[in-house]
Amino acid sequence: MNRSFFYSFTLVTIMLGVMLGFQFRTTSAGNSVAASDRGQELALEKKSLVGDLHEMQMEINDLSTKLDQAGIGQKEAEEALSIELAKIKRFAGLSQVSGPGVEFIVQGQPLQAGAGTEHVLQNITDQHLLKIVNELYCAGSEAAAINGQRITAVSEVRLAGSHINVNGTPIAPPYHIIAIGDASALKGRLELKGGLIDYLNECGISIEAQEKSEVVIPAFTDKLYFEYAKVVQEN
């Protein structure tokens, strides 16, 4: 758009020059004295027009510069918004994330049932899993998942009959709880003497912790909607 303005004004300049030259030659064919006066008038008019066109071209150049700067500012604003949106999605659990962390494998402890056979106690409840997740977040975990289900602010972990639901999806033991954060700190928090792992062992629950240099936690895939909550407008 800026170039078209520049070309248009350039074309106008050329056309004015041709018209003025034509008028000057036409007048010269008549009375020589009148032609001389008319030629001086046309020369002055041409000079004035050229000056006006020059000022207009300067204004166009100034506007072009401002438009370019506005374009750069808009691009920077879009990039900043994109970064902020990615941060919000990451915080809300709406994007897949990876990083160092720890994996906990939770399952019932096997018990001898006579004749060399073993039975595994299925005594893990939703409350046990919630205690683990809460403890991990208290220890600084930045993201967590249970059997591939991302834990978010709207996730539910609850007992449903003979199984546990996470985000409305039934899961079964062994339960793999993955968390991103300082692996040593996360693992150490649960392994404190008299801490959560000791408590779970007393409940007949086995929990194995493994530090990982990198784990991948999937995004929350369920739909999010608000029917009653509305944004409060700031004054």
Side-chain angles (χ1 to χ4, degrees), residues 73 126 137 167 204 210 227:
D126 52 343
Y137 278 123
N167 296 333
Q210 299 176 355
E227 182 178 356

Side-chain angles (χ1 to χ4, degrees), residues 159-181:
L159 197 61
S162 60
H163 58 266
I164 295 174
N165 275 3
V166 179
N167 296 333
T169 301
I171 61 174
Y175 302 107
H176 293 258
I177 300 177
I178 300 175
I180 290 178

